[in-house]
């Protein structure tokens, strides 16, 4: 099992303690490093590999596994690629990248956003709408790189790359943030939405899922903890900026009175509209062509390591499931017995899938594949002592969103 960590701007494979996953699941777990932020996806006209350096690092790690897995008792013909958030996005990228074919044989996408757009103001206050969150054309990436080079004093196009390479690393690190992958090149010929819709991806078994309250983390970080909580007066204006003529319909579906605070209401709108809507469509596109197991991590009392106030409960926030797979004494101290049991069950599900392409096993609640033709396609809800199928579309009001 090869793990791609998330964020895209900071992080390291060594942050993830995989010993329990390896022992519980009888698997070899490889955690990797790759170039992040400006070093991973910087683009410039004429720069070979523009916008794809991080993905190429990940591919090099997969090639290393092919050459070295047997030395550790592993099988190079049975490799599962898995990642969360930006790592989930990267896993989707490898599914559609021609050069990654044959380097892995199953894929697990945790809270990836291959098909997600970004309504205005959704991630940060004042940020405009984005058509594809996580992807930009090679031309757009190179144009951004040219603007960054000029900002750093490298204004002569014929000398800009040489100029940039002479700059101290510290000058470039300040520009690092999670950045989109460039498509329209040899590494990523097309945007994920087109590739998945047309079935142009590597046909391997898929496990795919999200958390029940994905966007609470982002509203909590960039609004509540930044002393900019959503107020009752601001909420209608945010809806108007994000949804225009449909704002009143959204407001009626998600009134402030139904939630602990306007901030939670806003987070719920974005969880359903951005995350659940695109995740469900991703399940449908995968399941049309390969065996797909879908899940929702639903433990709304997951250990939270940030000081969110009482009127903003984090719920099953973005990345809440990661410590259940990579846990240590810190998790044990924060988790209750039911959560520790769920952790062990999730490790077995993930490892069983890596072994055979099927997460089921002795003593585990039955997990049926996602069938797009079912009236209620199965999505496994992962919650302490309550693992079962959930009507995901109803839970996240997807019929409502499909009508807008």
């Amino acid at each position: 099992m090869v793990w791609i960590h998330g964020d895209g701007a900071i992080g390291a494979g060594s942050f993830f303690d995989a010993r329990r996953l390896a022992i519980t699941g009888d698997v070899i777990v490889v955690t990797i490093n790759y170039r992040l932020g400006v070093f991973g996806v910087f683009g410039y006209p004429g720069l070979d590999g523009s916008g794809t350096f991080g993905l190429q690092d990940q591919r090099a790690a997969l090639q290393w596994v092919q050459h070295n897995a047997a030395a550790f008792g592993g099988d190079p013909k049975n490799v599962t690629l898995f990642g969360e958030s930006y790592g989930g996005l990267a896993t989707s990228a490898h599914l559609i990248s021609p050069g990654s074919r044959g380097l892995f044989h199953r894929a697990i996408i945790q809270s990836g956003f291959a098909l997600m757009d970004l309504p205005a103001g959704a991630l940060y206050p004042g940020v405009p709408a984005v058509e594809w969150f996580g992807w930009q054309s090679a031309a757009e990436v190179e144009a951004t790189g040219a603007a960054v080079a000029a900002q750093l004093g490298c204004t002569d196009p014929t000398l800009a790359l040489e100029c940039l390479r002479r700059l101290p690393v510290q000058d470039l690190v300040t520009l690092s943030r999670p950045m989109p992958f460039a498509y329209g090149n040899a590494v990523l010929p097309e945007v994920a939405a087109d590739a998945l819709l047309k079935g142009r991806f590597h046909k391997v078994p898929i496990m795919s899922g999200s958390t029940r309250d994905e966007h609470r983390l982002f509203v909590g970080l960039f609004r509540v903890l930044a002393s900019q909580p959503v107020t009752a007066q601001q909420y209608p204006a945010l809806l108007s900026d994000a949804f225009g003529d449909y704002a009143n319909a959204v407001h009626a579906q998600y009134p402030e009175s139904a939630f602990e605070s306007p901030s939670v209401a806003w987070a719920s709108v974005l969880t359903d509209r951005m995350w659940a809507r695109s995740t469900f469509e991703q399940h449908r596109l995968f399941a049309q062509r390969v065996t797909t197991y879908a899940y929702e991590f639903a433990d709304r009392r997951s250990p939270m390591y940030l000081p969110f106030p009482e009127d903003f409960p984090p719920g099953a926030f973005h990345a809440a499931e990661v410590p259940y797979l990579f846990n240590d004494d810190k998790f044990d101290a924060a988790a209750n017995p039911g959560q520790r049991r769920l952790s062990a069950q999730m490790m077995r599900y993930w490892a069983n899938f890596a072994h055979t392409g099927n997460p089921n096993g002795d003593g585990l609640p039955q997990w049926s594949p996602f069938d797009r033709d079912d009236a209620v396609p199965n999505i496994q809800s992962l919650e302490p002592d309550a693992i079962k199928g959930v009507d995901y579309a109803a839970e996240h009001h997807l019929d409502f969103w499909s009508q807008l």
Side-chain angles (χ1 to χ4, degrees), residues 161-389:
L161 293 176
E162 181 182 345
C163 172
L164 288 166
R165 290 181 176 123
R166 288 199 304 264
L167 292 176
V169 168
Q170 305 91 284
D171 293 356
L172 298 172
V173 167
T174 60
L175 302 171
S176 278
R177 64 187 188 281
M179 297 178 177
F181 295 130
Y183 67 87
N185 50 55
V187 175
L188 284 177
E190 58 187 332
V191 69
D194 289 343
L196 297 185
L197 183 65
K198 296 169 184 173
R200 290 197 285 260
F201 61 91
H202 309 318
K203 304 306 187 294
V204 300
I206 299 288
M207 182 190 292
S208 172
S210 59
T211 70
R212 183 169 179 175
D213 305 295
E214 288 277 6
H215 212 74
R216 289 198 197 184
L217 178 68
F218 302 98
V219 173
L221 282 173
F222 303 129
R223 289 191 177 273
V224 177
L225 294 184
S227 300
Q228 300 182 64
V230 178
T231 66
Q233 292 73 31
Q234 291 172 333
Y235 183 54
L238 289 172
L239 295 175
S240 180
D241 289 344
F243 304 113
D245 293 342
Y246 300 108
N248 288 339
V250 177
H251 199 173
Q253 185 74 29
Y254 297 84
E256 302 97 313
S257 59
F259 302 93
E260 291 90 340
S261 68
S263 291
V264 175
W266 177 234
S268 299
V269 167
L270 296 174
T271 290
D272 293 356
R273 167 59 179 78
M274 290 168 52
W275 295 91
R277 181 171 169 266
S278 62
T279 299
F280 193 74
E281 182 61 18
Q282 182 173 277
H283 297 331
R284 288 173 54 82
L285 292 177
F286 282 135
Q288 185 174 357
R289 301 175 189 274
V290 300
T291 301
T292 300
Y293 290 90
Y295 75 87
E296 177 176 66
F297 180 80
D299 183 3
R300 293 185 131 173
R301 298 181 181 273
S302 300
M304 164 51 79
Y305 308 103
L306 296 171
F308 283 5
E310 288 187 6
D311 69 344
F312 191 79
F317 56 93
H318 181 74
E321 88 285 6
V322 175
Y324 287 69
L325 298 168
F326 297 91
N327 62 39
D328 52 20
D329 292 342
K330 183 179 179 181
F331 174 84
D332 284 346
N336 61 42
Q339 291 169 329
R340 291 193 286 272
R341 284 192 294 272
L342 177 62
S343 171
Q345 290 170 312
M346 288 175 59
M347 288 183 190
R348 290 181 59 204
Y349 274 140
W350 263 240
N352 289 345
F353 180 80
H355 279 290
T356 68
N358 184 334
N360 290 290
D362 292 342
L364 291 172
Q366 180 67 26
W367 186 344
S368 301
F370 183 98
D371 186 339
R372 55 179 288 144
D373 294 326
D374 286 348
V376 181
N378 185 71
I379 294 181
Q380 194 86 329
S381 176
L382 303 175
E383 189 174 356
D385 302 320
I387 296 177
K388 59 184 184 300

Side-chain angles (χ1 to χ4, degrees), residues 212 253-254 272 276 280 296 375-377 379 390-401:
R212 183 169 179 175
Q253 185 74 29
Y254 297 84
D272 293 356
F280 193 74
E296 177 176 66
V376 181
I379 294 181
V390 63
D391 188 342
Y392 186 88
E395 181 181 84
H396 293 284
H397 308 287
L398 298 188
D399 284 346
F400 165 77
W401 290 107

Side-chain angles (χ1 to χ4, degrees), residues 148-156 163-164 167:
V148 168
Q151 177 185 335
L152 294 170
C154 300
T155 54
D156 185 341
C163 172
L164 288 166
L167 292 176

